Amino acid sequence: PPPDKRGYDLYLQTHSPPPRNKNMYWDPKIVINSKAQGGPIKGFTPDILTDQAIDYIEDHVKKDSGKPFCCFFWTVTPHAPVMAPDKYKKRFRGKMTESEAAYCAMIENLDDNVGRMMAKLHALGIDEQTLVILMNDNGGTMGVELYNAGMRGAKTSVWPGGTRAFSYWRWPATLEPRTEHALTGYIDVFPTLAEIAGVTIPAEVASELDGYSLFD
């Protein structure tokens, strides 16, 4: 079932016009809880998704100040097919292939959008009390020849370059800066968030979990 059938109040997704290899990240239609919200919105999809997430957070804070919220935000990029606005690609053109330039441009665009999100949390006065998690899913494909942090391999391989992922957690009012040296993964996110929220995981569910809480 989609997220709105699994506990989320609002599930927003984008539908881009075909063909995929040309329009994957451009001029999408917005769909909320399976209902189309009018015609296409002009622009780069990651920027539009960020706008929507910021609007949701701002609206929630204004209506329900002090009430906790959860916003699970898939950035979509960087991912194939690689494409980005020219204003981002021009910085990289001439230094690498066109595909690599587009890939690096996607990453810079993501940096800007994360920055916009953090700036909004600050403007709303909730950045110190908000837990922000930034993480990816697996190793890269495009761009690993340019930089891969010295790791061997790429996506679909069992080497560190294919299996390692970053996970940054920011919560200044609660968490002291530290590096988690134990082997961790996405399976640890749920039990960690459950403990943070003060929720006791039922024994029959806990027995099926492979992860553990990182919160202490």
Side-chain angles (χ1 to χ4, degrees):
D4 58 298
K5 306 299 183 184
R6 298 173 66 90
Y8 285 84
D9 296 318
L10 183 150
Y11 170 43
L12 184 148
Q13 60 187 137
T14 58
H15 289 177
S16 297
R20 183 178 187 274
N21 62 349
K22 181 180 180 181
N23 298 316
M24 178 69 176
Y25 305 117
W26 301 98
D27 305 339
K29 290 183 179 180
I30 298 296
V31 178
I32 297 179
N33 293 349
S34 302
K35 296 181 180 179
Q37 306 294 304
I41 299 177
K42 292 293 183 180
F44 192 49
T45 297
D47 296 337
I48 294 168
L49 283 171
T50 304
D51 291 340
Q52 295 287 329
I54 287 174
D55 287 347
Y56 164 78
I57 293 172
E58 186 168 31
D59 184 62
H60 172 86
V61 171
K62 289 180 177 179
K63 289 181 178 179
D64 297 298
S65 180
K67 184 178 180 180
F69 69 92
C70 172
C71 179
F72 193 177
F73 179 38
W74 289 273
T75 59
V76 183
T77 55
H79 199 281
V82 291
M83 56 187 76
D86 284 338
K87 69 176 182 178
Y88 286 100
K89 289 192 291 186
K90 65 182 182 181
R91 175 183 173 186
F92 303 101
R93 280 182 170 142
K95 303 175 183 178
M96 56 193 72
T97 68
E98 182 67 15
S99 293
E100 290 170 339
Y103 177 76
C104 290
M106 278 182 153
I107 295 174
E108 186 170 26
N109 172 262
L110 174 60
D111 286 345
D112 282 354
N113 282 326
V114 170
R116 290 204 293 133
M117 180 76 74
M118 297 305 299
K120 176 56 66 174
L121 295 178
H122 178 74
L124 293 171
I126 60 172
D127 58 314
E128 294 291 305
Q129 293 77 36
T130 301
L131 171 61
V132 178
I133 303 172
L134 178 65
M135 61 190 298
N136 69 318
D137 53 358
N138 48 246
T141 50
M142 175 68 66
V144 294
E145 293 83 5
L146 294 173
Y147 179 77
N148 204 27
M151 296 184 294
R152 179 182 179 182
K155 181 179 178 179
T156 73
S157 79
V158 297
W159 301 108
T163 57
R164 291 193 67 184
F166 65 78
S167 182
Y168 298 115
W169 296 48
R170 182 187 186 275
W171 197 6
T174 303
L175 298 180
E176 292 291 334
R178 85 180 212 214
T179 298
E180 178 60 60
H181 293 285
L183 182 63
T184 61
Y186 70 92
I187 56 176
D188 302 317
V189 173
F190 172 60
T192 301
L193 294 182
E195 181 174 354
I196 288 173
V199 175
T200 300
I201 300 174
E204 64 271 19
V205 175
S207 65
E208 298 295 324
L209 297 179
D210 293 320
Y212 61 94
S213 174
L214 304 175
F215 189 69
D216 56 38

